Amino acid sequence: MRRCAWPLLRLPARAGLVLRHGGAAAPRLRLAAASSASSVGGAGSPRAPDTSLFVPVPLKPVGDAAEEDVGAELTQPLDKGEVLKNLNKFYKRKEIQRLGAENGLDARLFHQAFISFRKYIMESSSVSADLHIILNDICCGAGKVCLLGHVDDLFPFFLRHAKQIFPMLDCMDDLRKISDLRLPPNWYPDARAIQRKIIFHAGPTNSGKTYHAIQRFLSSKSGIYCGPLKLLAHEIFQKSNDANVPCDLVTGEERVYANEDARHAPHIACTIEMCSTNTPYEVAVIDEIQMIRDPARGWAWTRALLGLCAEEIHVCGEAAAIDLVTELMYTTGEEVEVRNYKRLTPLTVLDYALESLDNLRPGDCVVCFSKNDIYSVSRQIEARGLECAVIYGSLPPGTKLEQAKKFNDPDDPCKILVATDAIGMGLNLCIKRIIFNSIVKPTVNEKGEKEIDSITTSQALQIAGRAGRYGSSFKQGEVTTMHRDDLAQLKLILNEPVPPVKAAGLHPTPEQIEMFAYHLPDATLSNLIDIFVSLSQVDGLYFVCNIDDFKFLADMIQHIPLNLRSRYVFCTAPLNRKEPFVCTTLLKFARQFSRNEPLTFDWLCRHTKWPLAAPKNIKELVHLEAVHDVFDLYLWLSYRFMDMFPDAVLVRDIQKKLDDIIQVGVCNITKLIRASQSAAAPGTVEAVSEGFPLSRTKRDTRAVSDRDGAKSPEAFSVAVGVPGERRAKNLKAYRSATRQEDLKSHGRGTLANRLLREGLLTQEMLRQLESEWQDQHRNGRYGFGSKRADQSSSKETGKKKK
């Protein structure tokens, strides 16, 4: 029986190896030509995938089988020692490695596949009959002149195993087609079915460009306004309804209807992510089009520009985006009409810096780029008997509007504003003079890393342009810096031309990810996104947006059983991942959602400990801001899962009450700062972490910060208590201070105190760690490493001195 069955069982393996094409046992997959069928315009061969993202699917060895081992009956039991020797020979064969590469197995995948293949064979009690016979022939024929089998005959079985643990190898053509992002205009057939008129309103801040676009919006039969902020959408919503043009408000967290019966109005003001690409309009307005280059949100502007079904599309923004918009519209067969605007009021860069807060006057706005600087400057201002309003990014929209109203009110004693670059858009402010407290700020580079760098020309113009707003009591604006050393640099930045916007952002859609998941059912959502970006092809007009926040949330909720569409929605939730309380809440939302348990108003009140009292210090104010973000998160999810988040009306009511509580805290912010200082331990100050781990800075910063972005106690006390000594006298002194503070911030005491305060470390654990460290240090366990670290540090110091 063995001699009769042997040719039949062996033939497919032989055929697969000899023919090397088209056979079922050894299908050929050429990665270099994987997407040739889908290539458009002769873009050339696609780039090789990043195989480090390919996670192997575990394949368990066969245990004690209930059925008989057919292979052993036909031949004989395998000698596992001989099998192991021949498997290792197979691995070292250059011909086999070349065949693997031709079938999509680079060196990394080939090695991983072989390790899994060898483990499967060696640990299985039995293997398939055809593989058993091949292994037996190879082992029995080893060393003989007339070989019964050759190790090369294992390749079809090895390739079959490789495709089982790396299923993407078998569907690379399909994956490349799905992730081909070279023709985004084709994603919007409704927009391509009409001939749209594109009008670009280009000009600087305070030039009236958006005003003219909104006038056309108000005069149309139907229209949609798409803005980057809820504040801007709310402003247009109010303007429209005040002008007797019924307009609905649509944001991620809110739907407000102009009609009492909740009928849709013909006009809509929305945040840009919420615009519909299926509803026809007469006029559409896309505000701040230069944000199409934003590494995180640029995809929303691309989607609106390419996908809105409107007869007229009015695009407003910087002239730097004209060329890109023109090129994008060329690919859709649409022409762009450009209307240029000039600033309506003069803006002057002063020849002198403020140098001291004693020189402040009504209508001044001090711009800072961190919360700690906001706290410091506002305290110093009020110490001089002046009242100031405070605006920064994490404040609720209602609080920002109230602070702006307070500052703008001519009858209010508050005549000074301290703000971050959050004033750059979305707020109408009566500012006479903009004062840059610093010209450096945290930024995100192309790798998604945070770093400190000088503000860009675009950012400087956006902020400086807030001075001397047309229609305000100030007929011209002024700009200067707090410190003399920064003024020359600011003038250079403002005089530089704004670099042109070169590419528009794209982001994988839920449908694309679902198709990926169909082919790779065992991959995690984070891994699916990684593979998608790795395989994606874009032309020079586009880039794939940063997906780090999406992946962070995907990894955080991966262990929770959710269907793919729900998981995708949770991962797109607009939250700040640097806020632990908000992230923890999302995790609890997802967990309860997975159990099909509605998240009720009572549950949310218990979780947030509502009702909440007015804050007594800065830490409590920051927590209230986080709770407000939690309520926003609930409302955002309630419009996507109405049955699971049923109490949106009740949550919106308490969110308004919380907004009022936060307003009280912000109005008394200097009292909160003093309370924080007095409550802190001796020699320390409770400063709020900015939450960004910094990479190497490109330019010298003006603040001494630790890795969490919070100022050191010494730096904070200098900033608050001794304004004249806030900055180092010269660059050398500043760098020296920075090195000393960095060393202190990494000292055992500072870290230990922080861990103790956060409840991550107890006194007993601290004593135990200290004892273990001393024992290991005495035993010389870390001696060499410490010495090497010291040597490395010395070398680095030497390089810096040179």
Side-chain angles (χ1 to χ4, degrees):
M1 180 172 178
R2 172 188 167 190
R3 297 179 65 87
C4 295
W6 176 81
L8 297 175
L9 291 170
R10 187 177 178 188
L11 183 59
R14 278 290 188 188
L17 181 66
V18 175
L19 296 176
R20 296 179 188 165
H21 68 277
R28 187 166 186 173
L29 181 63
R30 287 190 177 276
L31 289 181
S35 63
S36 59
S38 62
S39 297
V40 180
S45 298
R47 63 181 179 182
D50 182 0
T51 56
S52 64
L53 303 173
F54 292 1
V55 179
V57 177
L59 201 62
K60 293 182 179 180
V62 179
D64 294 333
E67 300 180 1
E68 296 180 356
D69 188 348
V70 178
E73 286 188 4
L74 293 175
T75 57
Q76 61 186 8
L78 294 174
D79 182 345
K80 290 297 179 78
E82 286 296 321
V83 169
L84 180 60
K85 290 179 183 178
N86 285 287
L87 286 174
N88 291 335
K89 289 180 183 177
F90 169 82
Y91 174 73
K92 295 176 183 178
R93 290 268 297 165
K94 296 296 182 184
E95 173 68 10
I96 295 300
Q97 294 174 12
R98 185 184 65 77
L99 282 173
E102 289 180 357
N103 286 276
L105 294 170
D106 63 8
R108 182 197 301 270
L109 296 186
F110 183 85
H111 177 74
Q112 287 182 286
F114 173 75
I115 295 299
S116 176
F117 182 58
R118 184 177 64 185
K119 180 180 179 182
Y120 177 81
I121 291 176
M122 298 303 296
E123 295 183 7
S124 293
S125 60
S126 62
V127 295
S128 61
D130 50 356
L131 176 57
H132 184 109
I133 292 174
I134 292 296
L135 288 169
N136 182 73
D137 287 348
I138 294 171
C139 293
C140 293
K144 297 182 180 179
V145 177
C146 181
L147 297 180
L148 292 174
H150 191 276
V151 290
D152 288 356
D153 294 346
L154 287 172
F155 184 76
F157 303 97
F158 166 73
L159 185 61
R160 182 173 64 189
H161 182 93
K163 289 181 178 180
Q164 285 179 295
I165 66 169
F166 294 116
M168 61 284 298
L169 295 175
D170 229 359
C171 55
M172 196 64 71
D173 280 335
D174 293 331
L175 296 181
R176 286 193 185 280
K177 289 176 183 177
I178 296 168
S179 58
D180 191 338
L181 307 179
R182 287 174 294 183
L183 289 175
N186 293 350
W187 303 350
Y188 309 102
D190 292 343
R192 301 291 78 78
I194 61 175
Q195 187 65 29
R196 306 180 305 169
K197 182 180 180 181
I198 313 297
I199 302 168
F200 196 122
H201 300 264
T205 304
N206 201 14
S207 61
K209 57 185 183 297
T210 306
Y211 170 82
H212 288 88
I214 294 301
Q215 291 305 112
R216 181 67 186 96
F217 167 82
L218 295 175
S219 65
S220 64
K221 296 177 182 177
S222 63
I224 181 170
Y225 168 84
C226 306
L229 300 173
K230 287 184 282 187
L231 284 173
L232 285 170
H234 196 271
E235 180 185 347
I236 302 304
F237 163 74
Q238 285 189 323
K239 272 185 180 177
S240 297
N241 288 293
D242 290 346
N244 295 319
V245 178
C247 179
D248 294 341
L249 174 67
V250 179
T251 69
E253 300 80 19
E254 191 174 19
R255 305 285 191 282
V256 180
Y257 296 100
N259 301 311
E260 293 181 358
D261 57 359
R263 285 183 296 107
H264 292 288
H267 289 73
I268 291 177
C270 66
T271 47
I272 194 159
E273 286 87 352
M274 300 303 297
C275 70
S276 168
T277 57
N278 300 318
T279 307
Y281 300 100
E282 182 184 350
V283 170
V285 177
I286 303 175
D287 208 356
E288 305 294 351
I289 187 61
Q290 71 276 2
M291 290 189 70
I292 200 169
R293 68 183 165 202
D294 187 84
R297 297 178 66 199
W299 62 270
W301 276 263
T302 305
R303 175 175 171 270
L305 182 62
L306 297 177
L308 282 174
C309 294
E311 298 170 24
E312 289 181 26
I313 295 186
H314 293 257
V315 178
C316 307
E318 296 176 0
I322 292 176
D323 289 344
L324 177 64
V325 171
T326 303
E327 286 190 66
L328 292 176
M329 294 301 95
Y330 178 78
T331 64
T332 65
E334 295 161 332
E335 294 183 357
V336 178
E337 176 189 338
V338 178
R339 299 178 185 176
N340 289 296
Y341 299 81
K342 292 183 179 180
R343 183 178 168 86
L344 298 173
T345 57
L347 179 66
T348 305
V349 182
L350 300 178
D351 291 327
Y352 55 89
L354 190 72
E355 296 196 87
S356 171
L357 294 175
D358 294 328
N359 299 323
L360 287 171
R361 55 178 186 249
D364 279 349
C365 173
V366 182
V367 177
C368 307
F369 293 112
S370 76
K371 271 190 185 179
N372 287 334
D373 283 347
I374 289 278
Y375 301 149
S376 167
V377 171
S378 61
R379 166 114 189 242
Q380 293 178 62
I381 290 172
E382 297 208 4
R384 287 164 168 76
L386 301 173
E387 191 174 340
C388 66
V390 174
I391 296 175
Y392 51 86
S394 59
L395 285 178
T399 303
K400 291 177 185 174
L401 289 172
E402 283 301 315
Q403 289 291 298
K405 182 179 177 182
K406 178 182 178 182
F407 174 71
N408 290 337
D409 187 353
D411 299 324
D412 196 289
C414 173
K415 300 301 180 187
I416 308 295
L417 176 63
V418 182
T420 63
D421 52 349
I423 63 165
M425 58 179 70
L427 293 168
N428 293 320
L429 298 162
C430 297
I431 299 172
K432 168 66 173 177
R433 180 170 60 172
I434 289 284
I435 301 157
F436 285 90
N437 187 58
S438 171
I439 56 170
V440 294
K441 67 169 291 185
T443 57
V444 182
N445 64 22
E446 62 277 2
K447 297 179 182 178
E449 299 170 338
K450 299 292 182 71
E451 61 187 16
I452 293 289
D453 194 10
S454 293
I455 57 175
T456 65
T457 300
S458 177
Q459 292 167 340
L461 290 171
Q462 187 84 16
I463 298 168
R466 293 289 137 185
R469 176 175 155 265
Y470 180 76
S472 72
S473 56
F474 302 112
K475 302 305 178 185
Q476 68 176 32
E478 298 173 346
V479 184
T480 187
T481 59
M482 179 69 72
H483 310 290
R484 190 184 309 168
D485 295 348
D486 289 339
L487 187 55
Q489 182 69 18
L490 177 64
K491 288 182 177 180
L492 288 175
I493 292 172
L494 290 172
N495 288 328
E496 288 177 359
V498 178
V501 181
K502 296 181 179 179
L506 296 173
H507 192 280
T509 65
E511 293 76 18
Q512 289 169 327
I513 298 304
E514 280 186 336
M515 287 189 284
F516 249 57
Y518 173 79
H519 291 288
L520 306 174
D522 296 306
T524 65
L525 179 55
S526 177
N527 190 229
L528 284 175
I529 289 286
D530 274 335
I531 295 174
F532 184 97
V533 174
S534 170
L535 294 176
S536 63
Q537 299 176 75
V538 295
D539 66 22
L541 296 178
Y542 301 96
F543 68 93
V544 179
C545 285
N546 189 296
I547 54 171
D548 286 348
D549 287 347
F550 184 97
K551 286 175 55 187
F552 172 82
L553 296 180
D555 289 332
M556 186 176 73
I557 65 172
Q558 180 56 43
H559 65 286
I560 299 175
L562 295 168
N563 63 59
L564 184 67
R565 182 59 71 118
S566 298
R567 189 181 299 277
Y568 184 94
V569 170
F570 272 95
C571 293
T572 55
L575 59 80
N576 185 350
R577 63 173 175 170
K578 293 176 288 189
E579 294 181 354
F581 182 70
V582 183
C583 292
T584 301
T585 303
L586 179 72
L587 192 62
K588 291 183 178 181
F589 282 172
R591 189 176 290 120
Q592 188 146 338
F593 181 93
S594 71
R595 295 195 293 261
N596 204 31
E597 298 175 5
L599 290 113
T600 62
F601 176 74
D602 291 338
W603 182 96
L604 188 63
C605 289
R606 287 195 303 271
H607 174 67
T608 58
K609 296 181 172 56
W610 181 265
L612 296 165
K616 299 181 179 64
N617 52 49
I618 290 295
K619 186 175 182 180
E620 290 184 7
L621 176 61
V622 172
H623 178 68
L624 291 181
E625 293 168 7
V627 174
H628 193 280
D629 288 344
V630 166
F631 292 163
D632 261 347
L633 178 62
Y634 184 98
L635 294 172
W636 189 87
L637 289 166
S638 72
Y639 286 106
R640 289 144 184 88
F641 307 110
M642 294 183 182
D643 55 335
M644 298 301 292
F645 296 84
D647 295 328
V649 175
L650 295 173
V651 173
R652 186 168 290 107
D653 288 341
I654 63 172
Q655 188 182 45
K656 291 177 182 177
K657 295 177 182 177
L658 177 59
D659 205 335
D660 294 337
I661 295 172
I662 292 174
Q663 287 177 35
V664 172
V666 173
C667 289
N668 299 311
I669 195 164
T670 54
K671 295 179 182 178
L672 303 186
I673 294 170
R674 285 196 295 270
S676 296
Q677 284 187 294
S678 60
T684 64
V685 173
E686 184 178 355
V688 178
S689 169
E690 302 297 337
F692 49 85
L694 299 178
S695 62
R696 287 180 294 179
T697 57
K698 294 184 180 179
R699 294 181 176 90
D700 293 309
T701 62
R702 299 293 193 263
V704 180
S705 304
D706 63 15
R707 286 194 177 186
D708 292 326
K711 288 188 176 179
S712 65
E714 292 79 5
F716 193 92
S717 61
V718 169
V720 174
V722 192
E725 297 177 10
R726 184 175 180 275
R727 286 161 56 90
K729 292 182 180 179
N730 53 52
L731 187 59
K732 183 177 179 182
Y734 162 72
R735 286 176 174 168
S736 175
T738 302
R739 285 194 292 269
Q740 291 175 12
E741 295 301 332
D742 285 344
L743 290 171
K744 288 180 182 179
S745 68
H746 290 83
R748 191 199 60 161
T750 302
L751 176 61
N753 287 338
R754 189 163 70 248
L755 293 175
L756 285 169
R757 285 198 304 271
E758 294 174 359
L760 300 175
L761 189 67
T762 65
Q763 290 288 352
E764 180 61 32
M765 293 166 64
L766 184 61
R767 284 192 291 271
Q768 184 178 350
L769 286 170
E770 186 175 4
S771 175
E772 290 178 1
W773 169 260
Q774 289 173 350
D775 290 343
Q776 292 169 339
H777 193 69
R778 281 195 297 270
N779 295 335
R781 183 170 176 178
Y782 297 122
F784 177 74
S786 300
K787 183 178 179 182
R788 184 170 57 185
D790 291 342
Q791 290 174 347
S792 175
S793 178
S794 299
K795 290 179 181 179
E796 288 297 319
T797 304
K799 289 179 181 178
K800 289 180 181 178
K801 288 180 179 179
K802 291 179 183 178

